[in-house]
Amino acid sequence: AGRRDALDNVEYVAAGYTASGAPYYRASTSSSSYLYWDPDCSGNGFGANWIVDTDQPSTTAASDLDGDGSCIVIAYINSSSSSPPLGTTTWTVWCNPWTDIGLTLAYPSPPPPPPPPPSPLPPLPPLPPPLSPGMVQLSCDFEVDTCAWIDTAPDGFSWKRTSGGTPSGSTGPSSGHTGSGYYLYTEATGTYNKLHRLESPLFLLQRDATLSFAYHMLGASMGTLSIEANDNETGWSTLWSKNGDQGDAWLDAAVALPASTIKVRFNGETGPSYRSDMALDDV
């Protein structure tokens, strides 16, 4: 509903100017949505974008105008121009996951006059704490749902959420990581040698971070569990992998994420028989 309120047939009225001299706009029906140009929405080299956001932009900051140290917004479009991108263009909209959508932007009346020369900028505030996966809600114990994680396997084989044991004997855990509660697992019965993929939303890091999780891999035909990271330049690369029967126990693991990481995903590939139910918990 928040995205529709900000993007669907909304008139934005001029509200002022930012430090770069670019105009910014406020939704006429609400004070909770803004349209503005940010020379660098993360303050850490993400690039210039026109942005739709719920935070009012700063009129004094040179970049990261919403002050969150990241680019978590409703929608954005890459643009080196401080003039609004008129016409129908492709915006990237957060629809869990990010989705490219054609949006039309037009002036109902002539644009506002240019601003007076800006006054000298005050010193920039200190950088916010580094953004970690937990700050973009990657942490999940699966007690209610899968949180921000989504299934993206090309053949549609989903990680299943359950408590207690899995339906098949001699494979899978008998309970969650802490001895009770819910967890995710790959149901191998009838889905032999199939990829199950669980992917994070987009996030930004200011320095190297760590992704910790618990895993269970009991079964004579156990397949492979791996973690991949995407840095938006070289694509996906494998950071961690386990293959075969690891015993009837939950095991803890931690994987280092380079600061360039923008997404991570768990790949669970079942083995050649039903005895390959692998499980994840407490990410």
Side-chain angles (χ1 to χ4, degrees):
R3 289 184 292 276
R4 290 195 300 270
D5 292 344
L7 301 176
D8 190 9
N9 294 321
V10 178
E11 181 181 12
Y12 282 84
V13 296
Y17 297 92
T18 61
S20 68
Y24 74 93
Y25 304 84
R26 185 186 68 250
S28 61
T29 56
S30 168
S31 61
S32 62
S33 297
Y34 295 86
L35 172 69
Y36 61 89
W37 184 74
D38 195 329
D40 181 355
C41 62
S42 70
N44 195 33
F46 190 79
N49 296 275
W50 272 92
I51 286 172
V52 176
D53 195 3
T54 56
D55 295 322
Q56 182 174 354
S58 168
T59 58
T60 57
S63 62
D64 184 20
L65 302 192
D66 61 0
D68 64 357
S70 66
C71 293
I72 301 175
V73 297
I74 296 173
Y76 71 88
I77 182 172
N78 299 133
S79 176
S80 60
S81 172
S82 61
S83 298
L86 300 180
T88 301
T89 49
T90 300
W91 289 64
T92 301
V93 181
W94 176 243
C95 297
N96 195 13
W98 290 101
T99 304
D100 290 339
I101 296 177
L103 300 177
T104 302
L105 194 65
Y107 280 127
S109 58
S119 57
L121 295 177
L124 292 177
L127 289 174
L131 183 66
S132 66
M135 293 173 66
V136 289
Q137 300 174 332
L138 295 194
S139 298
C140 192
D141 59 11
F142 307 114
E143 292 302 306
V144 177
D145 52 25
T146 61
C147 307
W149 296 84
I150 58 172
D151 285 293
T152 59
D155 295 326
F157 295 101
S158 300
W159 287 80
K160 296 184 180 295
R161 179 176 163 272
T162 193
S163 61
T166 64
S168 304
S170 302
T171 188
S174 58
S175 66
H177 176 222
T178 59
S180 62
Y182 285 82
Y183 60 91
L184 299 187
Y185 79 101
T186 59
E187 176 53 65
T189 301
T191 58
Y192 310 142
N193 302 311
K194 298 298 184 182
L195 175 64
H196 300 64
R197 176 173 288 157
L198 193 68
E199 190 168 313
S200 77
L202 181 72
F203 60 89
L204 296 172
L205 299 175
Q206 293 185 358
R207 64 185 181 191
D208 293 350
T210 300
L211 177 66
S212 60
F213 60 97
Y215 67 99
H216 191 287
M217 297 177 69
L218 168 68
S221 300
M222 182 55 62
T224 300
L225 175 65
S226 64
I227 293 179
E228 292 182 304
N230 190 315
D231 66 2
N232 206 27
E233 293 182 1
T234 60
W236 292 100
S237 59
T238 301
L239 301 182
W240 180 95
S241 180
K242 286 287 181 182
N243 177 262
D245 189 349
Q246 303 296 313
D248 188 10
W250 281 100
L251 303 173
D252 295 318
V255 178
L257 300 179
S260 58
T261 304
I262 60 170
K263 274 188 178 184
V264 293
R265 65 189 183 191
F266 290 92
N267 294 318
E269 186 170 350
T270 55
S273 83
Y274 72 91
R275 292 181 176 177
S276 55
D277 291 350
M278 67 187 72
L280 283 173
D281 202 358
D282 293 332
V283 176

